[in-house]
Structures are given as structure tokens and as C-alpha cells.
Amino acid sequence: MTDLIQLIRDAVQAESRQAFVRGTVTGTNGNRVLVQRQGAAAADPVGYPRLAGYSPAPGDEVLLVRAGGGYLVLGRVVR
């Protein structure tokens, strides 16, 4: 039983570490933002929804949050 509990804890911790990811905007598709997530080989062709206050531009570094079965673009990272 202890091994099962540890497996569950490890899975929950791994999931929470991936709650936020960074990416680079490659374009738009209607209201969706095409983003190449950090570590991904290419941008997701379907794109992600965004918050209303953000106007995406190619090359923007963005922060995404896991929401439901996908991601939501929170906005541009300014350094």
C-alpha cells in the first residue's frame, strides 16, 4: 500500500510542476494563438485560447497555464 501512495504522490507532484509552461508565438489562427511550447518540436497547429487583454505577435515569449485538457495563453513575458 505504501508503494501505491508514493506513486500517487509522485504523479501529483509531476503534474503540478507542468502546470505552467513557456513558449514562443509562431502566429495566430482566428482567436487562437499558435505556440511552440518549450521543448516541443513544432507549434500546435490548432493553437490555444488567450486572455482578452493580450494581443499576440510572432516571436513573443508567452506563459501558458494548463487548463482542462489543454493550455491557456496568459500573456507575454517581458524581461
Side-chain angles (χ1 to χ4, degrees), residues 10-76:
D10 292 346
V12 168
Q13 287 176 351
E15 185 69 23
S16 66
R17 282 192 297 266
Q18 297 174 11
F20 293 94
V21 296
R22 289 181 298 171
T24 303
V25 174
T26 61
T28 58
N29 182 1
N31 285 330
R32 297 212 166 271
V33 184
L34 304 176
V35 176
Q36 182 171 349
R37 287 181 286 133
Q38 188 175 29
D44 181 347
V46 176
Y48 304 108
R50 62 179 170 82
L51 294 179
Y54 170 60
S55 297
D60 283 355
E61 180 182 359
V62 292
L63 182 66
L64 299 96
V65 63
R66 185 182 284 287
Y71 289 95
L72 169 68
V73 178
L74 295 178
R76 183 171 65 102

